[in-house]
Amino acid sequence: STSTVPTTPPPTSAPPTTLYQPGAPQTSPDGAATLLIEAWAQASRAKATAVASPTAVAALFALPYPGDALQGRGCSEGISPATCTYRDANSLIEMNITRIPAGWYVSSVVVEN
């Protein structure tokens, strides 16, 4: 008996490309950033993921919450993505806030030491 071995591999399916959908989008970039900071202060990842992507939450929660040392430096307005900036004694934290039809959410967090 003979068997045939395929000479080309079978096609593979592409991974799903679903976009993150926040559970509680906010009405402004500042609102989204503030809610994420409040969740960070409360050590509540569940609250954070309602307004921020999983990668943004992971980046922010990798840092210890600095308490009163955290200073808000404001948000850019009118564009998407907007940027909201915070500073503590050791780091500069930039949040990219993206607009979707339902409102604004934190799409990424960049920490510079």
Side-chain angles (χ1 to χ4, degrees), residues 13 15 32 41 44 51 55-57 60 69 73-75 77 82 85 103 113:
S13 58
S44 175
V51 73
T55 54
V57 172
L60 188 60
R73 298 290 174 101
C75 298
E77 297 288 337
T85 306
N113 294 325

Side-chain angles (χ1 to χ4, degrees), residues 50-107:
V51 73
S53 71
T55 54
V57 172
L60 188 60
F61 278 65
L63 302 172
Y65 179 70
D68 291 339
L70 188 65
Q71 301 172 349
R73 298 290 174 101
C75 298
S76 60
E77 297 288 337
I79 59 167
S80 180
T83 301
C84 295
T85 306
Y86 293 83
R87 181 165 241 342
D88 69 13
N90 303 312
S91 305
L92 183 67
I93 302 165
E94 291 186 347
M95 298 181 187
N96 290 310
I97 320 293
T98 300
R99 184 175 181 87
I100 57 174
W104 296 87
Y105 76 97
V106 181
S107 52

Side-chain angles (χ1 to χ4, degrees), residues 34-48:
T34 298
L35 195 62
L36 180 56
I37 292 295
E38 289 172 0
W40 185 31
Q42 298 165 3
S44 175
R45 285 181 180 259
K47 185 175 178 182

